[in-house]
Amino acid sequence: MILSKQIVLFTNIVHIGIKQTMTDDFKKERFNLTPEQFLVMDTLWDEGVLTQQQIANITMRDKNSIVKLIDGLENRKLVKRVSNPKDRRQNLIKVTPYSLKIRQKVNECAFKSVESIIKGISEEELETFIGILAKLEKNMYPKSDLLSLAKKYPSNKKDGEAI
């Protein structure tokens, strides 16, 4: 029972801490991004033009939260919505030239942030931790598979190519 409570408490504390650390690091570098927005940008930078549903699927978020994240990114001039010529009911999300200009510096900031979070933890420990997280996630969402998702993305497609 005590371990069960610790798992819930500790994962929540770490989750909040990771988000706060990355938010603080982005602010220090004057990037007006949340960690969630960074994940969307990172997905778009790696995968190219995507629909909102594709972004939701890749990031494993619900479509409504993706809409809000894209609204924020659009307000920051990092992405723009365009009608899908193949299906006018869909929006395609494209990165802007400005976001491409800051991509490398944003990624460097994110990587530094993560490095500060995982310092002192061996690669073997991290691999074990990732495996445990994948098992926890599988218990909650049996149809999901984080490890195969990690192998699939980024897909190394050409920039701007729609899936």
Side-chain angles (χ1 to χ4, degrees):
M1 183 69 160
I2 291 175
L3 278 178
S4 297
K5 287 182 181 181
Q6 288 175 335
I7 288 168
V8 173
L9 177 64
F10 291 4
T11 54
N12 188 51
I13 290 169
V14 170
H15 174 248
I16 291 167
I18 288 170
K19 286 175 62 172
Q20 192 59 57
T21 298
M22 291 189 78
T23 298
D24 292 346
D25 290 344
F26 284 142
K27 280 183 184 176
K28 283 180 201 167
E29 296 297 323
R30 301 192 195 299
F31 296 122
N32 187 12
L33 279 176
T34 66
E36 294 87 354
Q37 289 170 330
F38 168 73
L39 289 176
V40 170
M41 288 307 305
D42 194 50
T43 299
L44 289 165
W45 286 327
D46 286 343
E47 300 301 318
V49 178
L50 298 171
T51 66
Q52 292 172 177
Q53 187 60 57
Q54 289 170 320
I55 295 168
N57 293 345
I58 293 168
T59 60
M60 298 182 76
R61 299 184 71 95
D62 67 274
K63 192 172 176 183
N64 290 335
S65 67
I66 292 299
V67 169
K68 290 178 185 174
L69 290 169
I70 291 169
D71 287 345
L73 293 170
E74 202 169 32
N75 289 338
R76 291 168 175 80
K77 309 284 189 240
L78 295 171
V79 300
K80 67 178 182 173
R81 287 179 172 99
V82 295
S83 261
N84 185 345
K86 296 177 184 173
D87 183 350
R88 297 180 78 85
R89 296 169 297 169
Q90 278 185 337
N91 285 320
L92 296 175
I93 310 305
K94 293 184 171 191
V95 297
T96 63
Y98 170 68
S99 78
L100 291 172
K101 182 179 170 184
I102 66 169
R103 176 184 182 176
Q104 184 174 345
K105 290 189 184 282
V106 171
N107 278 327
E108 287 171 6
C109 180
F111 288 127
K112 276 188 207 173
S113 190
V114 172
E115 286 300 316
S116 75
I117 292 167
I118 64 171
K119 74 178 174 207
I121 303 171
S122 72
E123 191 169 326
E124 183 179 338
E125 289 172 313
L126 288 171
E127 287 173 1
T128 300
F129 180 64
I130 294 295
I132 291 168
L133 289 174
K135 286 179 182 179
L136 292 171
E137 190 264 348
K138 190 75 164 171
N139 289 339
M140 294 179 287
Y141 307 103
K143 293 182 181 179
S144 183
D145 185 356
L146 283 180
L147 295 180
S148 69
L149 184 69
K151 290 176 187 171
K152 185 176 179 182
Y153 297 103
S155 66
N156 297 317
K157 299 183 322 52
K158 293 177 187 171
D159 282 344
E161 183 181 332
I163 289 179

